[in-house]
Amino acid sequence: MWHIEREGLGRLIRLLADRGYRVIGPTVRDDAIVLEEIEGLEDLPAGVREVQGPGSYRLERSNDGRLFDWAHGPDAGKRFLFPPRERLTEIRRDREGMRVGPAPEEDDRPLALLGLRSCDLHAIAVQDRVFMGLDERYRRRRERAVLIGVNCAVPGGTCFCVSMGTGPRCTSGFDLALTELADGFALEVGSRVGQELRDALGARPASEDERAEVDAIATAAAERMGRTLDVSDMPTLLYRNREHPRWREVAERCLACTNCTMVCPTCFCHDVVDDVSLSGDVATRSREWASCFSAEYSWAAGVVVRESHAARYRQWLTHKFASWIDQFGVSGCVGCGRCITWCPVGIDVTEEIAAIRATDGAVEVRTA
Amino acid sequence: MSTTELREPAAQPEGRPMRIAVIQRIVPETPESSTYWMTWRGNDGEGYAFEAGQFNMLYLFGVGEVAISISSNPMHPHHLGHTVRHVGRVTNAFRNLRPGDEIGVRGPFGKPWPLHEAEGGDLVIVAGGVGVCPVRPAVESAMRNRDRYRRLILLLGARTPDLLPYKDQLDEWVALMERLGVELHLTVDEAVGTWLYDIGVVTTLFPKARIEPARTTAFMCGPEVMLRFAGRGLRELGVPAERIYLSTERHMECGIGLCGHCQLGPYFVCTDGPVFRYDEIAPLLEVREL
Ligand code: SF4
Ligand code: FES
């Protein structure tokens, strides 16, 4: 473990920018902490706290100037490694016929993602399993990216990473991990790139006291989780409860607004759509985030397979917590709680799963 | 950065290069569907081969892509037929295609019919309506290697004679089948005009076909209700669940297990299917809106 003074973080941001990185970090915008391109320490959310709960997110100010005493806003690494809309293929058509080629990259600078929490790092590892072998664009962005994690001192009210085994302390998947201390940051190195950055920053070895403080911060954070979730017996718990009455019950509240899937750092479903240039001779195929909560998502051969909100909610929750394990070998949930915070009606996955578990095996009686 | 790698690498942004084919002939099959016959442009077909039961993603310029099973003979991968049912935005745009027009093709994708499973025994193929199209390559492959199977039984049904694809080749087929020793039975739910074959749902053909369950491997393709009833019917006859296969249909956007659209329970239909073994998939087909 190493130590840099507070201004060392500003130097790190500038160092990465000088090396050609597009440095993305947390900043306040529209009353939320979002991830955006940053230029220095002054862009970070100094003295900002979050209050998160089911269906609610609010910022509070304090004067202590602390930079990371909050959990996370709606954004995660996904927005940059797997952008919401991205051009993939260009098809030109002229007298000779159609010609197919890759669409150019809009911003080809390598990414440096700063301020990712342990859950966010795990979410990237989850998406790696989805995209790495199949998608050249993702792979290229991912392989060139520098990931700088931050250990959480103040978890959010909807967080349950301890239950999912994904936090609150960064243990893998980072190049550098920071812990905010009174006089600067403790620095952990997770890769060769991280080592090199540490050297360039001139970090000094952390003292015994500093190490102990980092441990204490992580232990305290783990005890302050907003929520807990029992994920034993997955995936079978949800497989054997496909006809559970709770699906209909939650559907009475769910608006099928798609928010939960948009803020989820692992949701990967997408559409590929065509745009034609005004001249009519170039078609661009782009991918866009899609959501299993929309009707058209399950549209097949003229029919919507999942007509009811109950079926859509069941698809989402069962995919996230159960079939994901069959498909990719890990849970699709990292316990960040974003879906709870950003659900306009405050539907809480931990509550829904607990309710199904409590009445395991119940079967809805249909009247029609 | 260390990264996790669990899947096979793919060549292109959308998975498999898009090759260009040229429409040669368009054959109306039913009021709702036509078969589009195409050949590759230049050497775009280089290295292209497919197996019975697989599908391609077909692309119309500026409109989009759609997954269509290949309904032509796998022996001739340079002369492809796809029977398209005009039920959606992209498939309706197919109505505007004319011979000479170009079309993008990615594929082939998906698991094929396990023809080898049936070797040495009887192959029973049950298909309904446009479900006849995806089994056609399997029928052609089986006929080519007729000596590998004991009995070849083909049970085809549709709501009305009108809705039976390849009508124009029906008599031709029946004659050819007889010569090759294929037992072909046809049925429609409602007969109109001069219909010479059976009347009733496809399962009513089972007794007539004298299926011998212990020797049978069955392939089924058609609407979900038909699959459910035909599957149960075959099971009741005593055909083991592990010897029944069926082809499923879902919305597909990528064909490579990436876009998520085609999920059916834990499966990606595009890569784990579209052909599944009955015992893997039957419980899922019973769940509404899955
Ligand atoms: S955010 Fe809430 S209301 Fe919107 S789709 Fe998700 S669960 Fe339903
Ligand atoms: S079609 Fe995209 S995952 Fe199957």
Side-chain angles (χ1 to χ4, degrees), chain A residues 128-191:
Chain A
D128 282 353
R129 291 178 181 240
V130 178
F131 285 105
M132 279 309 265
L134 293 175
D135 191 85
E136 281 307 319
R137 283 175 189 261
Y138 180 93
R139 174 196 282 274
R140 181 173 145 78
R141 273 194 290 263
R142 181 65 180 87
E143 282 175 347
R144 298 196 303 159
V146 169
L147 305 185
I148 299 165
V150 171
N151 285 325
C152 283
V154 186
T158 56
C159 292
F160 55 102
C161 61
V162 167
S163 301
M164 300 310 295
T166 54
R169 185 168 184 171
C170 301
T171 52
S172 64
F174 57 83
D175 295 285
L176 288 175
L178 307 168
T179 308
E180 190 170 15
L181 303 175
D183 63 340
F185 295 95
L187 199 62
E188 285 161 278
V189 171
S191 72

Side-chain angles (χ1 to χ4, degrees), chain A residues 89 91 93 97-98 129-136 142 173 175 239 242-243 268-272 274 276 280 283 285 297 299-301 305-308 311 314 319 323 327 366, chain B residues 1-4 6-10 13-14 18 20 41 59 61-65 85 87-88 102-104 249-251 253 256 258-261 263 266 268 284 287-290:
Chain A
T89 310
I91 298 124
R93 189 169 66 173
M98 293 202 269
R129 291 178 181 240
V130 178
F131 285 105
M132 279 309 265
L134 293 175
D135 191 85
E136 281 307 319
R142 181 65 180 87
D175 295 285
Y239 287 168
R242 285 195 174 105
E243 307 288 359
F268 62 87
C269 287
H270 56 269
D271 294 323
V272 181
D274 263 66
V276 186
R285 291 182 52 71
Y297 176 86
W299 196 97
V305 175
R306 295 182 204 102
E307 190 61 70
S308 68
R314 176 179 67 189
H319 185 213
S323 34
Q327 293 168 350
R366 290 175 203 257
Chain B
M1 257 331 296
S2 72
T3 47
T4 331
L6 288 182
R7 308 169 102 189
E8 294 289 304
E14 292 179 80
M18 191 189 282
I20 308 295
R41 184 185 72 185
Y59 172 72
F61 181 85
V63 182
E65 267 190 336
R85 201 149 51 99
V87 286
E102 288 186 348
I103 179 169
E249 209 181 342
R250 282 266 145 161
H251 179 56
E253 298 239 339
I256 57 170
L258 193 64
C259 76
H261 280 273
Q263 287 178 82
F268 290 113
L284 299 177
V287 183
R288 277 204 258 177
E289 290 190 73
L290 193 68

Side-chain angles (χ1 to χ4, degrees), chain A residues 253-261 293 313 316 339 342-347:
Chain A
R253 289 172 280 140
C254 174
L255 311 171
C257 69
T258 78
N259 270 13
C260 48
T261 51
F293 279 94
Y313 194 87
W316 185 63
C339 58
W342 297 94
C343 174
V345 292
I347 293 171

Side-chain angles (χ1 to χ4, degrees), chain A residues 14-327:
Chain A
R14 287 193 302 278
L15 183 71
L16 288 163
D18 286 347
R19 293 184 178 186
Y21 282 92
R22 181 178 162 212
V23 187
I24 304 294
T27 194
V28 174
R29 150 107 23 134
D30 299 333
D31 299 318
I33 296 172
V34 297
L35 297 179
E36 264 182 19
E37 186 156 357
I38 53 168
E39 282 166 8
L41 221 45
E42 58 291 351
D43 290 328
L44 299 177
V48 176
R49 301 280 187 283
E50 279 175 339
V51 185
Q52 298 202 36
S56 81
Y57 179 95
R58 187 160 46 81
L59 296 186
E60 280 179 356
R61 299 257 161 207
S62 84
N63 291 324
D64 60 9
R66 294 202 31 106
L67 294 172
F68 294 105
D69 277 354
W70 43 275
H72 50 58
D75 293 338
K78 167 173 127 174
R79 196 154 81 74
F80 301 91
L81 293 166
F82 166 46
R85 187 183 168 98
E86 171 178 16
R87 292 185 295 168
L88 298 177
T89 310
E90 253 173 26
I91 298 124
R92 292 171 183 279
R93 189 169 66 173
D94 55 28
R95 257 174 299 144
E96 247 108 88
M98 293 202 269
R99 267 170 299 133
V100 186
E105 203 55 71
E106 272 156 57
D107 189 336
D108 202 38
R109 288 176 293 167
L111 286 162
L113 301 175
L114 185 148
L116 299 177
R117 305 307 175 131
S118 181
C119 60
D120 296 333
L121 294 169
H122 277 88
I124 291 172
V126 170
Q127 284 214 326
D128 282 353
R129 291 178 181 240
V130 178
F131 285 105
M132 279 309 265
L134 293 175
D135 191 85
E136 281 307 319
R137 283 175 189 261
Y138 180 93
R139 174 196 282 274
R140 181 173 145 78
R141 273 194 290 263
R142 181 65 180 87
E143 282 175 347
R144 298 196 303 159
V146 169
L147 305 185
I148 299 165
V150 171
N151 285 325
C152 283
V154 186
T158 56
C159 292
F160 55 102
C161 61
V162 167
S163 301
M164 300 310 295
T166 54
R169 185 168 184 171
C170 301
T171 52
S172 64
F174 57 83
D175 295 285
L176 288 175
L178 307 168
T179 308
E180 190 170 15
L181 303 175
D183 63 340
F185 295 95
L187 199 62
E188 285 161 278
V189 171
S191 72
R192 186 100 52 96
V193 176
Q195 209 167 13
E196 206 264 309
L197 288 167
R198 175 205 63 198
D199 294 345
L201 288 172
R204 65 158 169 81
S207 67
E208 272 314 308
D209 284 356
E210 284 159 352
R211 286 166 183 272
E213 204 185 333
V214 169
D215 290 344
I217 289 171
T219 309
E223 282 160 8
R224 291 169 67 183
M225 280 293 118
R227 280 170 160 62
T228 57
L229 174 63
D230 175 3
V231 283
S232 60
D233 206 12
M234 290 289 187
T236 43
L237 175 76
L238 293 182
Y239 287 168
R240 67 170 175 262
N241 283 291
R242 285 195 174 105
E243 307 288 359
H244 197 283
R246 187 72 183 189
W247 302 120
R248 176 108 6 212
E249 201 276 323
V250 62
E252 277 162 24
R253 289 172 280 140
C254 174
L255 311 171
C257 69
T258 78
N259 270 13
C260 48
T261 51
M262 296 294 116
V263 294
C264 177
T266 68
C267 274
F268 62 87
C269 287
H270 56 269
D271 294 323
V272 181
V273 298
D274 263 66
D275 278 308
V276 186
S277 64
L278 281 179
S279 55
D281 51 7
V282 185
T284 306
R285 291 182 52 71
S286 308
R287 83 171 146 217
E288 285 179 359
W289 291 357
S291 170
C292 52
F293 279 94
S294 72
E296 52 281 14
Y297 176 86
S298 71
W299 196 97
V303 290
V304 173
V305 175
R306 295 182 204 102
E307 190 61 70
S308 68
H309 290 189
R312 296 184 204 164
Y313 194 87
R314 176 179 67 189
Q315 169 61 25
W316 185 63
L317 203 76
T318 308
H319 185 213
K320 192 71 34 186
F321 287 91
S323 34
W324 208 294
I325 298 171
D326 279 334
Q327 293 168 350

